[in-house]
Every structure is written in C-alpha cells, then in structure tokens.
C-alpha cells in the first residue's frame, strides 16, 4: 500500500540578498500552497562557498549590491515568523 508523500520544506533565513519583506511574503506563499514550515535555520556562512563570499562582500556574483542582514536579533525574528503557525 502506498502512502501519500508529504512535503516538509526546510527553510533558511538571512541568505545574502534576502530582505525582511521577503519573509512574510514567503510565509503567505507557503500557506497558499498548503505547506507548513517546521524547520527554519538562520544562514551560517561556510568557508569556501559563493554564499559566504556574498555575505562578507555584500555583492552578488555580478557585482551588484546585496541586502545582507548580520544582526542576530533581526535574523531570529525572521526565523520565528516563519516557524510560527
């Protein structure tokens, strides 16, 4: 017997380029799709990755300026907003 497959999104807040306005928009979109947010993590820079280079430089790969949130309180608020039902 086959069971229905359930999708459980794993989200990261604070990735370089993300703005505070994007988080509530993502929550609304997930709700519209009938998805619940269970697992939310704050972006952690990892050595040797493009995302970390973007985080530290504040620039996209094409050299454009990016929003980069480094305040842990603001990031925790974003995480809490997505994790709440």
């Amino acid at each position: 017997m086959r069971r229905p497959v359930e999708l459980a999104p794993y989200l990261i807040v604070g990735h370089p380029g993300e703005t505070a306005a994007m988080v509530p928009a993502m929550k609304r979109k997930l709700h519209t799709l009938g998805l619940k947010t269970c697992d939310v993590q704050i972006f952690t820079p990892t050595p040797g990755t493009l995302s970390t280079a973007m985080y530290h430089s504040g620039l996209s790969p094409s050299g454009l300026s990016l929003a980069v949130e480094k305040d842990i309180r603001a990031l925790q608020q974003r995480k809490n907003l997505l994790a709440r039902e």
Side-chain angles (χ1 to χ4, degrees), residues 44-53 56:
T44 304
T46 306
T49 64
L50 178 58
S51 294
T52 296
H56 286 290

Side-chain angles (χ1 to χ4, degrees), residues 30-82:
L30 290 168
H31 179 75
T32 300
L33 294 171
L35 298 173
K36 294 181 181 180
T37 54
C38 309
D39 298 317
V40 182
Q41 173 185 329
I42 295 173
F43 173 76
T44 304
T46 306
T49 64
L50 178 58
S51 294
T52 296
M54 292 164 53
Y55 175 83
H56 286 290
S57 70
L59 300 172
S60 72
S62 61
L64 299 174
S65 182
L66 284 176
V68 178
E69 181 61 68
K70 296 183 179 180
D71 178 28
I72 192 65
R73 288 184 192 108
L75 292 169
Q76 189 63 50
Q77 287 176 341
R78 291 181 190 186
K79 178 181 175 181
N80 292 345
L81 177 66
L82 277 181

Side-chain angles (χ1 to χ4, degrees), residues 3-34:
R3 294 184 187 180
V5 176
E6 291 187 28
L7 181 62
Y10 187 87
L11 305 170
I12 296 176
V13 295
H15 190 277
E18 176 195 270
T19 64
M22 292 176 174
V23 178
M26 175 59 73
K27 185 167 182 83
R28 286 190 301 275
K29 181 169 258 182
L30 290 168
H31 179 75
T32 300
L33 294 171

